[in-house]
Amino acid sequence: MYIDDTIAAIVTAPGEAGVGIIRVSGRDALECVNRIFEPARPGVRLEEKVRYMTLGHIVDRSDASQKKTVDEVLCVYMKAPYTYTREDVVEINCHGGYLSLRKTLELVLKNGARLAQRGEYTKRAFLNGRIDLSQAEAVMDIITAKTGKSHELSQRQLEGKLSGKLSEIRHSVTADLARITVAVDFPEEDEPEVTYAELIESTQKHLQEIDRMIQSFEAGKIYRDGLRTVIIGKPNVGKSSLLNGILKENRAIVTDIAGTTRDIIEEYLTLDGIPIRLVDTAGIRSTDDVVEKIGVERSKESIENADLVILMLDRSRELDREDIDIIDIAKDKKLIVIINKQDLESRLDEETVRQHLETGSIIHASVINNQGIDELKAMIKHMVEGQGLTADNDYMINNVRHKNALERAAKACEDALESLSAELPLDIIETDFKNIWDYLGEITGDTTSETLLDTIFANFCIGK
Ligand SMILES: Nc1nc2c(ncn2[C@@H]2O[C@H](COP(=O)(O)OP(=O)(O)OP(=O)(O)O)[C@@H](O)[C@H]2O)c(=O)[nH]1
Ligand SMILES: [Mg+2]
């Protein structure tokens, strides 16, 4: 349900800054601010200066005997419906210190507004029809984007590229549905309104387009969350040294003591625009040390969620049971094996490794001498791009919720195709078409339940 009461929040980031902004939105936004705003030039009124900055002061009149100036500010009134929320909005540009913002916000709240919930401005923009749900989600993705590419993808989603594609498919499904309905309601017509063959053709086309979007998810997810790359291996093989080498800084502690890293260390980096989430783990071995044991368990878990596993071996030691066990854990994953410590005498050759590993690339490295790191980076980049995981698709999806809805829509297409091929009665097929329409509508928010909406917007940040 939509409530049009007046909400307010500090919309700029916390901390000291030149300027901090409070946004007031809703029916009484103007009235609320007018109660506490005193223009510097007498007689000036915010409502006559739509979209202009007006200089003045925020004043506290709660104590009738004594008027207190809280801050010198610039106020701007933006009239509905041409605003972010499509409601009346007033923004107060305060000095960006914590106290002036907090005191001004308190006054706003005392004078007719309530504190905005997380994502409530964007939720109103959605409920008022200015943007659809996928665009609202893109707003949040833009704010949290960590790389240029993921920012670009979210920007395209906000522009409505995804929504446009979805509504195109839904439009065509509606047209089919209309023809099916006529055929069901007037079966006596000589010329059937629509043939099975026509419906099969259009459903196949929809399925193809939906499948393409589902496939784009892998790439979309990587551009949003980063390629989760986990470095694993026995203790002391040089995992932390590799992390430091890739990051070009001493992030992780490196010693010659086996079992140095005891917990997961995670860092972000970008490789020619590809975001990577690089994870260094505790060396895997059987141990009685409780802390180390937990670390080892975590290392194993992190392999499960990895998009790419970098498995490290030490060339100065023979391949042993522990190495082989680790290879076994990781062999179903996308894998790059690094045989490290090439500067030392060899007790391990590539053939021996190959006996235990059918697929996966092998790199020879000496990470403390910076050897092999460029090769590794090139290989990761090649791997990502080689899978068609590039960010060129206009309606690439990066959101699990969207992917799930698309998968259900695809399933409904398949059901429809099966029933159509069997030439089942059209009123049965009608349901499948209705489902396709509904599931696609969940992405744009046309057919999304209120609880789900609440959950989605609750993940937004305050003031957005
Ligand atoms: N000679 C040589 N030593 C290396 C190389 N890479 C790492 N080392 C040394 O190997 C030892 C262990 O390195 P770490 O990076 O701490 O190894 P790790 O795999 O993270 O070890 P744990 O955290 O205990 O699992 C350190 O003394 C490193 O300096 C290399 O390429 N050549
Ligand atoms: Mg380590």
Side-chain angles (χ1 to χ4, degrees):
M1 195 184 49
Y2 180 64
I3 308 165
D4 69 343
D5 61 349
T6 302
I7 54 173
I10 299 169
V11 297
T12 40
E16 287 172 18
V19 178
I21 300 175
I22 290 170
R23 179 185 285 158
V24 190
S25 175
R27 217 177 26 207
D28 304 325
L30 185 64
E31 221 174 296
C32 165
V33 177
N34 270 338
R35 285 189 198 120
I36 57 168
F37 177 66
E38 223 166 58
R41 238 200 282 160
V44 172
R45 293 160 64 88
L46 284 179
E47 49 271 49
E48 287 166 4
K49 293 274 180 192
V50 176
R51 290 177 177 272
Y52 278 90
M53 290 281 204
T54 306
L55 178 69
H57 293 93
I58 296 295
V59 287
D60 182 356
R61 294 195 184 85
S62 48
D63 181 353
S65 63
Q66 192 189 17
K67 184 176 86 177
K68 259 195 263 167
T69 301
V70 174
D71 197 7
E72 182 185 51
V73 300
L74 283 167
C75 271
V76 57
Y77 168 50
M78 290 167 271
K79 199 169 159 48
Y82 305 108
T83 64
Y84 186 74
T85 51
R86 278 209 173 160
E87 303 170 330
D88 267 3
V89 170
V90 183
E91 283 183 2
I92 311 171
N93 288 245
C94 303
H95 287 111
Y98 173 68
L99 280 176
S100 35
L101 278 167
R102 207 196 63 190
K103 284 190 171 168
T104 305
L105 179 63
E106 274 171 13
L107 280 179
V108 170
L109 298 179
K110 267 191 213 155
N111 283 277
R114 71 162 165 84
L115 193 63
Q117 292 165 1
R118 285 173 178 271
E120 199 169 1
Y121 295 104
T122 311
K123 187 177 183 183
R124 289 185 172 200
F126 161 68
L127 291 173
N128 286 326
R130 194 177 66 76
I131 49 176
D132 73 17
L133 190 55
S134 73
Q135 290 171 304
E137 290 172 307
V139 169
M140 205 53 220
D141 290 345
I142 287 175
I143 294 173
T144 54
K146 291 189 183 61
T147 66
K149 271 281 196 299
S150 64
H151 182 265
E152 190 185 315
L153 280 175
S154 310
Q155 186 58 45
R156 272 188 243 167
Q157 191 172 317
L158 177 61
E159 278 168 19
K161 288 271 177 6
L162 176 66
S163 324
K165 187 71 210 168
L166 290 168
S167 70
E168 190 187 304
I169 304 176
R170 283 182 97 214
H171 216 81
S172 159
V173 174
T174 317
D176 287 345
L177 255 173
R179 293 193 296 168
I180 294 174
T181 310
V182 173
V184 170
D185 291 350
F186 305 100
E188 65 281 356
E189 297 276 317
D190 290 344
E191 275 298 303
E193 182 65 28
V194 62
T195 63
Y196 284 101
E198 283 166 357
L199 289 174
I200 287 175
E201 197 190 319
S202 83
T203 308
Q204 269 166 346
K205 191 166 155 264
H206 300 151
L207 181 58
Q208 234 172 37
E209 289 176 316
I210 293 169
D211 272 343
R212 236 191 104 201
M213 284 192 254
I214 296 173
Q215 276 153 21
S216 78
F217 176 75
E218 284 310 314
K221 189 169 137 283
I222 285 171
Y223 282 102
R224 174 171 152 151
D225 301 336
L227 182 83
R228 209 180 146 81
T229 307
V230 178
I231 310 170
I232 59 159
K234 246 176 9 185
N236 239 354
V237 290
K239 299 180 292 299
S240 301
S241 307
L242 176 66
L243 175 95
N244 290 345
I246 294 176
L247 295 174
K248 297 200 181 92
E249 60 179 271
N250 285 331
R251 169 67 179 85
I253 300 171
V254 168
T255 74
D256 56 3
I257 303 164
T260 303
T261 309
R262 303 214 155 185
D263 204 350
I264 305 274
I265 298 177
E266 212 171 298
E267 283 295 326
Y268 266 99
L269 71 141
T270 28
L271 257 184
D272 288 342
I274 304 164
I276 314 269
R277 224 163 123 180
L278 191 61
V279 181
D280 177 24
T281 62
I284 299 177
R285 65 168 170 185
S286 53
T287 171
D288 293 331
D289 182 307
V290 182
V291 179
E292 198 180 343
K293 229 178 195 159
I294 299 173
V296 169
E297 272 318 304
R298 290 199 181 157
S299 304
K300 287 182 180 162
E301 277 166 26
S302 66
I303 297 171
E304 278 170 34
N305 306 320
D307 298 310
L308 170 68
V309 172
I310 298 174
L311 194 156
M312 254 198 158
L313 300 168
D314 179 346
R315 158 174 127 130
S316 68
R317 289 187 269 170
E318 277 171 28
L319 198 74
D320 61 16
R321 192 68 247 164
E322 280 173 342
D323 291 312
I324 295 168
D325 285 347
I326 297 168
I327 293 176
D328 273 344
I329 302 173
K331 72 173 177 228
D332 296 330
K333 285 283 175 178
K334 201 154 280 167
L335 191 64
I336 297 177
V337 176
I338 295 188
I339 305 180
N340 190 32
K341 308 198 185 180
Q342 292 298 313
D343 51 297
L344 301 180
E345 202 184 319
S346 172
R347 294 213 171 79
L348 174 69
D349 56 31
E350 199 171 320
E351 270 110 86
T352 320
V353 178
R354 273 285 168 225
Q355 283 169 11
H356 299 275
L357 183 85
E358 284 134 38
T359 55
S361 317
I362 295 180
I363 294 177
H364 299 268
S366 170
V367 297
I368 50 162
N369 295 309
N370 245 322
Q371 259 173 40
I373 293 181
D374 285 343
E375 194 185 336
L376 173 67
K377 287 181 177 173
M379 198 175 271
I380 295 175
K381 185 167 175 260
H382 185 76
M383 207 172 230
V384 172
E385 289 174 349
Q387 288 171 343
L389 298 186
T390 45
D392 305 332
N393 193 331
D394 253 356
Y395 33 85
M396 179 179 268
I397 59 157
N398 61 8
N399 182 312
V400 192
R401 192 183 74 79
H402 299 177
K403 181 179 169 239
N404 290 342
L406 285 167
E407 279 170 349
R408 276 178 288 140
K411 172 77 175 48
C413 285
E414 282 159 9
D415 290 349
L417 283 171
E418 209 180 298
S419 312
L420 286 165
S421 322
E423 304 209 348
L424 293 186
L426 281 177
D427 47 355
I428 292 176
I429 292 159
E430 203 176 357
T431 319
D432 295 326
F433 276 75
K434 186 90 192 24
N435 284 342
I436 305 173
W437 192 83
D438 275 348
Y439 297 147
L440 295 180
E442 281 179 20
I443 300 173
T444 48
D446 288 330
T447 53
T448 315
S449 75
E450 199 159 316
T451 6
L452 183 60
L453 286 180
D454 288 343
T455 323
I456 292 169
F457 285 105
N459 286 322
F460 274 52
C461 50
I462 302 244
K464 195 65 228 183

